[in-house]
Amino acid sequence: MHPENKDPLEPQNGEVRLREVIHSDLEIFFEQQLDPESNRMAAFTAREPGDQGAFTAHWIRIQGNQAILKKTILFNGRVAGYLVAFDLLGEFSVGYWLGKAYWGKGIATRGLALFLAGIPTRPLYARAAKDNAGSLRVLAKCGFKIAGEDRGFAYARGGETEELILRLEK
Ligand SMILES: CC(C)(COP(=O)(O)OP(=O)(O)OC[C@H]1O[C@@H](n2cnc3c(N)ncnc32)[C@H](O)[C@@H]1OP(=O)(O)O)[C@@H](O)C(=O)NCCC(=O)NCCS
């Protein structure tokens, strides 16, 4: 195939990089987190994903908080999503969200592996809804092991939802 005809979203043509979050990413993150399927998967989401003012205010607080680590995931230079790490109930925990167009290409796994390499804190934690198979697989591929269970109110499900707590030791 002629190089100019390469589909930039094809995984074999892809380069995953992390960089600092910049203000213009927030509009893209907002669009990416509007997707209903993504919200159902993630379960523990914003109360109102369609409220752009609340979303942007939330991210401006994150940007101003040095205790929260955050990176934009680039796939071939395009904003594919983000990664965060923050204190959650006393446990330093990771989270991530990718736009649907970027799913199924190994981007979350590669992005999380790069992110983890830059974070010295161990153990590290993550939480995922028990039925979020994609997120649980990403975490398992990066070395996280199931460490417990919890349940809590999930806005995207409109009710109590079971979640797994995962821990990365090394
Ligand atoms: C979960 C999410 C991050 C996965 O991103 P991704 O880039 O598609 O993941 P990867 O391509 O790295 O996939 C890693 C593994 O998970 C599997 N996987 C991905 N999505 C899956 C799904 N919906 N169901 C089952 N397995 C899935 C892949 O097949 C792959 O497994 P394999 O290597 O054994 O084949 C992405 O779907 C997303 O952002 N969802 C919405 C937000 C969310 O749920 N965030 C996490 C909250 S805890």
Side-chain angles (χ1 to χ4, degrees):
M1 188 190 284
H2 190 277
E4 283 174 14
N5 294 332
K6 284 201 304 194
D7 178 350
L9 292 184
E10 278 304 305
Q12 66 270 25
N13 300 328
E15 183 207 29
V16 176
R17 285 198 302 117
L18 305 184
R19 68 148 163 74
E20 299 308 311
V21 177
I22 57 174
H23 192 76
S24 59
D25 296 339
L26 304 187
E27 179 86 34
I28 301 171
F29 297 165
F30 173 72
E31 295 292 331
Q32 291 175 339
Q33 62 83 55
L34 283 175
D35 174 59
E37 187 188 343
S38 306
N39 275 272
R40 230 203 81 74
M41 270 176 92
F44 302 95
T45 58
R47 185 198 300 249
E48 296 280 358
D51 184 343
Q52 189 161 12
F55 180 87
T56 306
H58 174 67
W59 263 96
I60 286 172
R61 281 195 300 276
I62 292 175
Q63 288 286 67
N65 186 342
Q66 299 307 310
I68 303 178
L69 307 181
K70 52 267 176 188
K71 292 284 184 189
T72 292
I73 308 170
L74 295 179
F75 184 67
N76 285 338
R78 298 178 187 209
V79 175
Y82 66 80
L83 293 143
V84 286
F86 57 101
D87 184 279
L88 178 62
L89 306 172
E91 297 173 341
F92 203 53
S93 303
V94 296
Y96 37 82
W97 195 295
L98 267 74
K100 204 185 240 172
Y102 298 92
W103 291 7
K105 302 174 194 302
I107 300 172
T109 305
R110 284 149 73 193
L112 181 59
L114 290 170
F115 194 48
L116 296 174
I119 302 177
T121 310
R122 295 292 182 275
L124 262 177
Y125 291 84
R127 287 172 175 246
K130 243 181 179 175
D131 57 6
N132 190 344
S135 185
L136 291 169
R137 181 81 184 118
V138 168
L139 291 165
K141 290 184 82 175
C142 288
F144 283 80
K145 304 263 188 283
I146 293 170
E149 295 190 15
D150 201 358
R151 53 188 298 125
F153 185 83
Y155 285 118
R157 310 261 178 108
E160 285 275 311
T161 300
E162 295 188 335
E163 60 181 343
L164 292 176
I165 303 167
L166 296 102
R167 185 168 55 221
L168 180 70
E169 293 288 354
K170 287 183 189 151

